[in-house]
Amino acid sequence: MRDRRPPQKTRERPKLTADAAGKRVTLPRALSKLGYCSRTQAERLIAESRVSIDGRTVNDPSAWVDLVTARISVDGRPIAAETKIYLMLNKPRGLVTTRHDPEGRPTVYDCLKDFDIPHLSPVGRLDKASEGLLLFTNDTEFAQILLDPVTHVTKIYHVQIDRLLDDAEIAAMTSGIRHDGELLTAAATRRLRQGDRNSWIEVELEEGRNRQIRRMLEALGTECLRLVRVAIGGLELGELPKGAARALTAAELQALRRSAGMERARR
């Protein structure tokens, strides 16, 4: 008897839309974005033939994957995106911003022992002598956008110095000061308060060059006694105790995303 059922159509793999194409990244970057490990660690796993895409082992770190549709596994175990975590720490002076210090010095991670979260990384750095607001997250895309100079996310510092700055020196910090052949500029500078022997100023930066404020003050012949970061974008340090950490509220995270232009980009 003749089969009258219509022939089955061969299922074709859907073509990537413009939005899906935007989710295509290299395999090491995919593992990093999913919060599994750093890109350097991912390259090592790939070289050891421990990573597969859709059941096929991949040894090429330049291979591209679709974060939306690809099934990525390490050692045969599927990798799922971790819950995104966003923390703020009031960094004490004397801690280095790294997970492991070869010299055995205390690190900022000593303040995060109550947060058992793998792959949590600082967003930028504060040097050992600096203190104040430091962000941590496992959301690598979020961290990269905040650190990108193009987004102009402002960072505000309260700085204690060993003397008073005159009007010309305050103006020079915003117009630009050259140090070691590099032009360093603050977005804004103003006096906060002064004592008999020292004073406090507020410095706002839109870029994060190495030891930028300290170098600018050094060029002015001024010693930096304390440097405290008090705000990043719309997020303020507030009354968070020294050495304490907490999760950002939904409102704080939204304000931070808005300051980096991320909310506008998602509309």
Side-chain angles (χ1 to χ4, degrees):
M1 187 172 178
R2 189 174 180 181
D3 189 351
R4 297 181 179 275
R5 289 177 300 177
Q8 292 184 346
K9 294 183 178 180
T10 303
R11 293 183 63 184
E12 297 181 357
R13 193 182 185 93
K15 295 182 179 180
L16 287 173
T17 63
D19 182 65
K23 300 294 183 181
R24 284 174 57 81
V25 296
T26 60
L27 184 51
R29 187 170 174 81
L31 288 171
S32 173
K33 278 182 170 292
L34 292 172
Y36 184 80
C37 61
S38 69
R39 278 187 251 180
T40 300
Q41 292 169 328
E43 290 172 355
R44 188 179 307 117
L45 292 172
I46 294 167
E48 294 172 353
S49 301
R50 296 170 60 186
V51 183
S52 64
I53 303 175
D54 297 330
R56 180 176 58 86
T57 299
V58 177
N59 300 102
D60 183 4
S62 65
W64 288 78
V65 296
D66 190 318
L67 280 173
V68 176
T69 62
R71 292 178 291 110
I72 304 174
S73 299
V74 177
D75 296 331
R77 297 179 180 179
I79 300 303
E82 288 186 333
T83 300
K84 301 303 182 187
I85 304 295
Y86 308 90
L87 301 180
M88 62 184 295
L89 166 70
N90 186 350
K91 175 192 175 295
R93 188 173 183 171
L95 303 184
V96 293
T97 307
T98 184
R99 185 178 293 273
H100 303 291
D101 181 62
E103 299 178 26
R105 295 172 296 181
T107 81
V108 291
Y109 284 90
D110 294 332
C111 300
L112 303 178
K113 293 178 179 178
D114 292 337
F115 297 89
D116 186 18
I117 305 170
H119 320 307
L120 196 63
S121 300
V123 182
R125 292 178 177 270
L126 284 173
D127 63 35
K128 180 183 176 182
S130 300
E131 50 195 298
L133 180 56
L134 184 61
L135 294 176
F136 289 82
T137 186
N138 57 357
D139 186 341
T140 56
E141 182 178 9
F142 172 79
Q144 288 165 3
I145 291 175
L146 279 186
L147 294 173
D148 192 336
V150 175
T151 60
H152 297 293
V153 176
T154 59
K155 300 173 183 64
I156 298 177
Y157 301 81
H158 287 179
V159 188
Q160 184 184 30
I161 56 178
D162 66 344
R163 65 181 182 88
L164 308 181
L165 293 183
D166 60 32
D167 291 342
E169 291 170 320
I170 291 288
M173 292 190 70
T174 54
S175 61
I177 295 175
R178 193 164 294 279
H179 184 276
D180 289 341
E182 187 176 15
L183 186 64
L184 305 174
T185 305
T189 306
R190 70 182 184 91
R191 298 183 185 90
L192 287 176
R193 57 187 181 274
Q194 64 184 54
D196 295 333
R197 298 183 179 180
N198 56 65
S199 63
W200 285 83
I201 59 174
E202 182 177 87
V203 182
E204 182 177 328
L205 299 181
E206 290 183 348
E207 54 186 359
R209 303 193 186 187
N210 184 40
R211 301 181 68 254
Q212 181 169 342
I213 295 175
R214 295 181 188 277
R215 292 167 62 198
M216 295 173 77
L217 292 172
E218 182 181 327
L220 293 174
T222 304
E223 183 182 355
C224 177
L225 303 178
R226 286 185 66 190
L227 191 151
V228 185
R229 183 156 63 195
V230 298
I232 299 175
L235 179 67
E236 296 183 354
L237 179 61
E239 300 300 321
L240 185 65
K242 190 83 64 179
R246 67 167 177 83
L248 300 188
T249 66
E252 288 172 334
L253 181 58
Q254 183 180 29
L256 203 52
R257 288 181 176 276
R258 189 179 299 117
S259 69
M262 298 173 73
E263 292 295 327
R264 291 193 299 271
R266 296 194 304 175
R267 290 173 186 159

